C-alpha cells in the first residue's frame, strides 16, 4: 500500500509536468530506457556466462537491477535536500 505522502508527491509532480516538453523528449527517454534494459540483459548474459550459470538464469540476471535506479540516485547524494540552504554538513572524521 502506498503511503499518503507518496500519493501527494506524485499528484503534485503530475500537475507540474510540461506536456510540450514531454512530447519533445519522449523518444529520447524511451531510447534511454530501451538502451538500459538491453545493456542489463547483456551484462546478465556476460556475467552469468562467466560463472557458468544456465542460460535460463542468464536471461533474467539483468532484470534484477531494473528497479534499482531510485537506489542509485540515493547513493549518489544520500542527504540530498536534507540540509537547509547554505548549511555545511558535519564531517564524521573531524574531532571537535
Amino acid at each position: 500500500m502506498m503511503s499518503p505522502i507518496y500519493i501527494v508527491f506524485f499528484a503534485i509532480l503530475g500537475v507540474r509536468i510540461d506536456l510540450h516538453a514531454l512530447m519533445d523528449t519522449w523518444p529520447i527517454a524511451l531510447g534511454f530506457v530501451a538502451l538500459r534494459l538491453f545493456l542489463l540483459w547483456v551484462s546478465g548474459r556476460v556475467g552469468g556466462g562467466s560463472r557458468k550459470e544456465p542460460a535460463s538464469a542468464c536471461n533474467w540476471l539483468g532484470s534484477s537491477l531494473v528497479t534499482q535506479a531510485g537506489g542509485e540516485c540515493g547513493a549518489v547524494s544520500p542527504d540530498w535536500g536534507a540540509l537547509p540552504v547554505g548549511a555545511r554538513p558535519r564531517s564524521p572524521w573531524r574531532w571537535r
Side-chain angles (χ1 to χ4, degrees), residues 24-64:
D24 292 341
T25 59
W26 193 248
I28 296 169
L30 285 179
F32 278 125
V33 169
L35 178 65
R36 183 176 201 284
L37 292 174
F38 174 72
L39 291 176
L40 286 173
W41 178 79
V42 168
S43 66
R45 296 287 299 177
V46 170
S50 70
R51 299 292 301 164
K52 307 282 192 267
E53 295 291 332
S56 60
C58 292
N59 285 332
W60 294 102
L61 285 175
S63 66
S64 64

Side-chain angles (χ1 to χ4, degrees), residues 1-14:
M1 186 168 149
M2 243 183 160
S3 170
I5 192 76
Y6 286 130
I7 294 170
V8 171
F9 172 75
F10 286 115
I12 291 171
L13 186 66

Side-chain angles (χ1 to χ4, degrees), residues 9-26:
F9 172 75
F10 286 115
I12 291 171
L13 186 66
V15 169
R16 292 184 180 180
I17 290 178
D18 182 6
L19 294 179
H20 295 293
L22 181 64
M23 295 304 290
D24 292 341
T25 59
W26 193 248

